[in-house]
Amino acid sequence: MAYTKTNFEKGDTLQASHLNYIENGIVNLENDLQLSAPQIYNQTPQKKSTNEQIKILCFGSSWFLNTWFYLNKITANLGINAKIHGYYMGHSQFNEWIAFYNNDLSPFAGSESTRQAYQYISENGADYTSQKHVTGGAFGDQEYRDAWYNDLMTEEWDIIAFQQGAHQSVKWNLWENYGTLLSMIKRHCNPNTVIAFNNTWCPSITSNYLPNDTDGLCEKTLDGQKKWQQINWNNCKRMMRLSGLSNVSPNGAMIYTMRRDETLNTDSYDLMYDGLHPDNGLTMYGCCSCFYET
């Protein structure tokens, strides 16, 4: 950074002549400077040669497991050697991953008294394999639980991507601790790591989630589904603006669009075999492709 050292007195105005250039932190509005430096700065991924391996760490709820189901196949087909390490915990939200980091197993309201996270690894085109529970036994095996922290601290990740739980996406109060989560990630990743968010949720119009999780705001209709998707995006956009996070994969918008293609599935525009998740086929491949292209 190049700057002009100036002693400012009380009441002085910061003018353009006082600062020559601050990377990504200054917006020059005529003669005044408006400071707009983001809290989180994301660099472009560094170029790698074909014999180098790109390392991706991702964690979140079941939609992230769907997202990376074919991801290693896509990278391998394009000649990219990748190691993709994932942590999956069904319908998980930010505070649960923070709880892991703080060495605390907090119960999840309405779910099991002790939550379990699964660890998945795939490498150079290989299918993922379930490794073990991160949380271990009923009260949490310390060795298993430490796997989450050790991986963050010891691996040189090129990309770290995280995800909000699906039906938490319409409730802003469950997004508010984004700063703690991002701080946790930035504390251990290397300076060139790209941090990304996987915005993936879009319910089917027949899903009970529509009215139940929006306090009656969204009905089981196409309009209700559209409203859900808008609330989810508004919360994501708010998190992006407040944190400075700019790398977001819009998988939910992609699924939302695919639901309206009658040639994919004519049954209530529902593309999921269980009413919640993409089937093992084009829709799940779409999730992986959307994340990869982002």
Side-chain angles (χ1 to χ4, degrees):
M1 294 184 295
Y3 63 95
T4 302
K5 185 175 181 180
T6 306
N7 294 322
F8 290 93
E9 301 295 333
K10 185 177 180 179
D12 283 353
T13 301
L14 182 64
Q15 301 293 328
S17 59
H18 295 142
L19 290 138
N20 296 327
Y21 181 72
I22 297 181
E23 183 180 11
N24 246 28
I26 297 295
V27 177
N28 190 354
L29 302 175
E30 296 181 351
N31 292 326
D32 295 327
L33 286 173
Q34 176 183 332
L35 293 174
S36 59
Q39 296 172 344
I40 304 297
Y41 172 60
N42 296 296
Q43 292 179 296
T44 301
Q46 289 187 314
K47 290 184 178 180
K48 289 178 174 288
S49 62
T50 54
N51 62 342
E52 291 182 290
Q53 186 177 63
I54 185 171
K55 295 182 179 180
I56 303 173
L57 171 68
C58 52
F59 62 93
S61 64
S62 53
W63 271 84
F64 222 142
L65 190 61
N66 296 150
T67 297
W68 82 304
F69 191 87
Y70 289 113
L71 188 56
N72 219 320
K73 297 292 187 183
I74 293 174
T75 56
N77 288 337
L78 293 173
I80 299 172
N81 181 359
K83 175 183 178 181
I84 307 173
H85 194 147
Y87 290 92
Y88 150 66
M89 184 163 52
H91 52 86
S92 60
Q93 58 194 41
F94 291 171
N95 72 295
E96 294 187 273
W97 299 105
I98 295 170
F100 278 138
Y101 184 82
N102 292 332
N103 201 25
D104 175 31
L105 294 178
S106 300
F108 180 75
S111 185
E112 301 84 2
S113 59
T114 301
R115 298 277 284 154
Q116 300 286 319
Y118 293 89
Q119 194 178 157
Y120 292 92
I121 300 174
S122 58
E123 195 163 353
N124 199 21
D127 291 325
Y128 69 79
T129 55
S130 177
Q131 300 297 306
K132 57 190 175 184
H133 290 295
V134 179
T135 53
F139 296 98
D141 185 299
Q142 189 65 44
E143 179 182 356
Y144 283 3
R145 191 168 33 176
D146 280 346
W148 161 249
Y149 318 126
N150 291 344
D151 283 324
L152 269 181
M153 289 186 285
T154 59
E155 291 278 0
E156 292 291 317
W157 301 108
D158 297 290
I159 299 172
I160 296 179
F162 65 102
Q163 175 196 296
Q164 174 65 297
H167 56 98
Q168 290 87 1
S169 63
V170 291
K171 298 182 178 180
W172 172 249
N173 65 303
L174 298 178
W175 291 70
E176 289 179 329
N177 50 6
Y178 69 87
T180 302
L181 186 63
L182 285 170
S183 176
M184 180 187 85
I185 297 171
K186 294 290 284 188
R187 198 171 302 157
H188 298 299
C189 68
N190 67 60
N192 296 316
T193 300
V194 172
I195 298 178
F197 181 72
N198 199 40
N199 196 28
T200 58
W201 180 247
C202 181
S204 65
I205 61 174
T206 57
S207 171
N208 289 329
Y209 285 113
L210 279 168
N212 290 353
D213 282 2
T214 59
D215 298 323
L217 291 176
C218 301
E219 300 176 347
K220 294 182 183 180
T221 63
L222 290 176
D223 286 340
Q225 186 188 65
K226 181 179 180 180
K227 190 171 184 179
W228 173 298
Q229 187 65 15
Q230 187 63 55
I231 296 172
N232 175 23
W233 170 241
N234 288 343
N235 287 337
C236 177
K237 183 166 64 173
R238 185 176 181 183
M239 183 268 292
M240 292 168 62
R241 288 175 66 93
L242 291 173
S243 67
L245 190 69
S246 59
N247 300 310
V248 176
S249 177
N251 289 13
M254 184 275 301
I255 287 290
Y256 172 77
T257 302
M258 292 182 78
R259 288 185 191 282
R260 280 150 182 75
D261 187 337
E262 296 186 24
T263 63
L264 294 176
N265 193 325
T266 58
D267 183 15
S268 300
Y269 301 95
D270 186 359
L271 302 178
M272 297 183 269
Y273 63 90
D274 61 357
L276 294 176
H277 301 94
D279 204 348
N280 182 3
L282 181 60
T283 53
M284 196 180 292
Y285 186 83
C287 286
C288 303
S289 299
C290 186
F291 182 82
Y292 174 83
E293 288 296 329
T294 302

